């Protein structure tokens, strides 16, 4: 539960270190641990079917290591152990984040037919150069064989976002060591590299992005999650993406509640979309920001045919492209109109920018009912830091709220802080005390807004110096340029206010429920009974339980 204090937590950093933690570019790279030695690993794919061979690439200062693989579900189940496996140090290209590490396979093993679908955590242990233990973690998914699975939920892990945020090697889609001055984010990133620290495993008390304190008046914003990461040797992006911060909390919760759950990566939507057809309910959770055109086609077709999609996730923002059989992901993002060859091609719809950009012409709302550009930040920096921590409810009579005892005006998920740190919304009007999508919002026909909270695209406070702003107004200017073609002050003023919503709508023979917040899973992690009940209502409704 959230603290009632209004004091920022102290992780022992100086003011200069705190600033570096937030604004600096620090990342994992081979050799970073110096004379103590280190071990790193990755697999040759995100997901494997039963019977497939997994190839493990290892680079280590130690000559041998031990391996354990554990299925990470409601209960942990060890499926494979090995000792005395040979290792060696493998040279890594400078731009490994972009082109992949290119390490040779150190060990391979078969996914046994009796390993159930789910996430499998790999732990390697070895002895450091000075005799102290060293270790690393990785993760792969065992995906189900295609076929009819009545009563089973299909959970699609947000692996596009994992790829985008992974800091290992120096570059991701946010910061990087690319470009002539080695200071640009990478427009292409590889999956053939280790995960950064914090993507697979985290301490239970690792801070999440939204503030759990009530920010003091007229005090510069602080970012406890990045301060903690800097102080404890974790990636500064651990709280923005990964299994440990997001997908794991839904998967474990669902299994504890007795649901049968299969797990796939987003690559399956792209390359094997028919896998969806076996399920009555497909679920997306957490920070789920990066998708290809083909992934959206898969979901749209599935829902049109009668499937039910439940999205407990936020920030449906960027179109990506996959290259090299899915090994590399392309997203030019803010630089797409200036640099992406697709923008000037015969088919600019595949430009790797915001879904709401005119050249792409496929707003996120067309698939999931809400747009990232009409939502965004809540509960951190100077963006609604003292805002609602749950969703203010407007239509409590909706079936999703059955058994909660919730009333009009109540705030769903405040106990578990379900609202933040990035949310999705629509332009709307209030009529008779109830929100409706604005006529030009792009909302699908029949969409109902069940709950609605406020968000912001811009940090603004006359009391806070611009130098202390991390988010500032860059995203507001980008959205203004994307939606209106102008990023001047008057246009920014028009678009800077956003919302986060819970919506429900029919599509073809199917249906979509979308709670547009990254942090819904945090409320499941924290045992927020009301959020748990709504989640179960949606799953039960869509599974015909």
């Amino acid at each position: 539960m959230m603290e009632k204090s209004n004091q920022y937590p102290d992780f022992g950093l100086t003011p200069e270190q705190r600033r570096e933690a937030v604004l600096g570019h620090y990342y994992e790279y081979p050799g970073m641990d110096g004379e103590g030695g280190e071990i790193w690993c990755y697999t040759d794919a995100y997901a494997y079917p039963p019977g497939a061979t997994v190839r493990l690439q290892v680079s280590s200062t130690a000559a041998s290591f031990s391996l354990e693989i554990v299925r990470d579900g409601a209960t942990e189940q060890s499926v494979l152990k090995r000792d005395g496996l040979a290792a060696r140090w493998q040279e890594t290209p400078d731009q490994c984040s972009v082109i992949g590490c290119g390490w040779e396979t150190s060990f391979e093993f078969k996914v046994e037919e009796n390993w159930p679908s789910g996430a499998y955590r790999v732990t390697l242990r070895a002895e450091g150069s000075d005799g102290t233990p060293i270790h690393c973690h990785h993760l792969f998914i065992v995906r189900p064989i295609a076929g009819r699975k009545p009563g089973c939920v299909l959970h699609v892990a947000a692996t596009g976002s994992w790829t985008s945020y992974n800091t290992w090697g120096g570059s991701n889609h946010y910061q990087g060591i690319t470009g002539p001055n080695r200071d640009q984010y990478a427009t292409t990133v590889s999956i053939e590299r280790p995960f950064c620290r914090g993507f697979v495993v985290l301490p239970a008390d690792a801070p999440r992005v939204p503030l759990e304190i009530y920010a003091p008046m007229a005090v510069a914003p602080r970012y406890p999650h990045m301060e903690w990461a800097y102080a404890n040797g974790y990636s500064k992006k651990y709280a923005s993406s990964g299994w440990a911060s997001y997908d794991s909390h839904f998967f474990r919760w669902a299994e504890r509640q007795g649901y049968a759950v299969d797990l796939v990566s987003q690559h399956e939507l792209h390359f094997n979309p028919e896998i969806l057809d076996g399920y009555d309910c497909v679920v997306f959770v957490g920070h789920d920001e990066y998708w290809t055109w083909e992934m959206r086609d898969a979901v749209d077709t599935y829902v049109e045919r009668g499937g039910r999609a439940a999205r407990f996730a936020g920030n449906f923002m960027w179109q990506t492209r996959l290259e090299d059989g899915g090994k590399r992901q392309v997203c030019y993002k803010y630089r797409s109109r200036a640099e992406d060859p697709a923008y000037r091609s015969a088919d600019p719809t595949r430009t790797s920018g915001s879904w709401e950009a005119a050249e792409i012409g496929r707003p996120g709302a067309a698939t999931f009912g809400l747009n990232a550009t009409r939502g965004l930040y809540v509960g951190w920096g100077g963006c609604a830091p003292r805002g609602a921590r749950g969703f203010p409810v407007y239509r409590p009579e909706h079936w999703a709220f059955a058994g909660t005892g919730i009333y009009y005006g109540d705030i769903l998920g405040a106990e578990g802080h379900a609202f933040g740190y990035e949310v999705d919304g629509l332009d709307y009007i209030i009529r008779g005390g109830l929100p409706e999508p604005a006529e030009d919002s792009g909302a699908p026909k029949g969409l109902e807004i069940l709950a609605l909270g406020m968000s912001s695209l811009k940090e603004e406070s006359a009391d806070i110096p611009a130098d202390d702003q991390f988010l500032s107004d860059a995203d507001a200017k980008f959205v203004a340029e994307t939606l209106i073609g102008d990023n001047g002050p008057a246009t920014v003023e028009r678009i800077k206010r956003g919302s986060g919503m819970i919506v429900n709508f029919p599509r073809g023979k199917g249906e979509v429920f979308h709670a547009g917040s990254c942090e819904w899973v945090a409320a499941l992690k924290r045992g927020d009974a009301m959020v748990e009940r709504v989640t179960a209502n949606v799953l039960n409704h869509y599974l015909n339980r």
Side-chain angles (χ1 to χ4, degrees), residues 34 49 59 79 87 109 140 165 196 211 298 303 341 396 415 439 458 465 468 474 480 492 501-502 534-535:
S59 181
V79 297
F109 58 92
F140 65 90
Y165 280 93
C196 57
L211 291 175
V303 174
E415 283 297 307
E439 280 189 24
K458 178 183 176 183
D468 288 321
V492 167
M501 294 179 173
I502 300 177
V534 173
T535 309

Side-chain angles (χ1 to χ4, degrees), residues 20-355:
E20 175 66 14
V22 175
L23 300 177
H25 182 38
Y26 49 99
Y27 50 88
E28 302 82 347
Y29 59 91
M32 65 180 291
D33 291 338
E35 293 182 2
E38 59 204 32
I39 186 167
W40 305 102
C41 74
Y42 62 93
T43 51
D44 61 337
Y46 276 154
Y48 305 86
T53 297
V54 180
R55 292 172 182 84
L56 186 69
Q57 285 79 23
V58 181
S59 181
S60 178
T61 53
S64 66
F65 66 93
S66 66
L67 161 84
E68 182 175 19
I69 300 175
V70 171
R71 184 180 183 275
D72 187 356
T75 57
E76 295 196 350
Q77 177 187 3
S78 180
V79 297
L80 182 66
K81 287 185 178 181
R82 290 285 188 277
D83 292 314
L85 297 172
R88 63 184 177 86
W89 187 254
Q90 304 206 47
E91 291 305 314
T92 305
D94 174 65
Q95 293 296 324
C96 61
S97 306
V98 177
I99 64 173
C101 288
W103 299 344
E104 293 180 359
T105 298
S106 306
F107 177 65
E108 58 183 49
F109 58 92
K110 183 181 175 183
V111 176
E112 299 296 340
E113 300 290 343
N114 64 347
W115 291 9
S117 177
Y120 286 75
R121 184 173 72 240
V122 179
T123 302
L124 306 188
R125 292 185 173 87
E127 188 175 293
S129 308
D130 57 3
T132 57
I134 55 176
H135 70 275
C136 70
H137 299 292
H138 198 66
L139 187 91
F140 65 90
I141 292 167
V142 173
R143 59 178 168 89
I145 300 294
R148 187 79 186 107
K149 297 283 186 72
C152 185
V153 173
L154 183 67
H155 173 185
V156 181
T159 47
S161 295
W162 299 3
T163 308
S164 305
Y165 280 93
N166 185 9
T167 49
W168 204 94
S171 297
N172 59 12
H173 284 333
Y174 293 84
Q175 290 177 287
I177 55 172
T178 69
N181 299 318
R182 296 177 63 82
D183 60 357
Q184 292 184 343
Y185 65 81
T187 57
T188 300
V189 286
S190 174
I191 73 169
E192 295 184 295
R193 53 179 170 148
F195 282 132
C196 57
R197 287 172 175 164
F199 267 31
V200 179
V201 178
L202 279 173
D205 60 352
R208 299 188 70 82
V209 177
L211 291 175
E212 292 308 321
I213 67 154
Y214 289 93
M217 285 196 304
V219 170
R222 293 264 297 276
Y223 302 85
H225 67 288
M226 287 190 274
E227 294 180 22
W228 179 89
Y230 189 87
N232 289 280
Y234 284 83
S235 167
K236 71 184 295 186
K237 295 299 188 186
Y238 83 85
S240 295
S241 190
W243 171 256
S245 279
Y246 291 99
D247 292 276
S248 65
H249 299 309
F250 173 83
F251 192 85
R252 294 176 193 146
W253 175 87
E255 286 202 333
R256 285 198 305 268
Q257 299 302 312
Y259 293 98
V261 193
D262 284 346
L263 188 69
V264 294
S265 75
Q266 282 179 289
H267 278 64
E268 276 69 67
L269 300 186
H270 186 98
F271 294 109
N272 310 299
E274 66 281 354
I275 202 165
L276 298 181
D277 296 336
Y279 298 84
D280 295 319
C281 177
V282 176
V283 171
F284 309 87
V285 304
H287 194 182
D288 188 18
E289 186 175 358
Y290 293 82
W291 284 58
T292 66
W293 188 279
E294 292 81 2
M295 293 171 189
R296 286 190 65 175
D297 282 350
V299 173
D300 289 347
T301 301
Y302 165 77
V303 174
E304 288 279 356
R305 289 175 179 168
R308 285 80 168 251
R311 180 173 158 89
F312 307 102
N315 200 211
F316 192 75
M317 186 74 183
W318 303 107
Q319 172 168 226
T320 61
R321 299 191 300 272
L322 296 181
E323 296 180 344
D324 192 18
K327 304 281 191 190
R328 305 204 313 161
Q329 176 174 289
V330 177
C331 195
Y332 282 79
K333 297 182 65 174
Y334 304 104
R335 289 152 43 196
S336 63
R337 288 177 175 171
E339 298 178 30
D340 190 346
Y343 181 62
R344 290 173 179 80
S345 72
D347 184 12
T349 61
R350 300 307 177 94
T351 301
S352 58
S354 165
W355 287 112

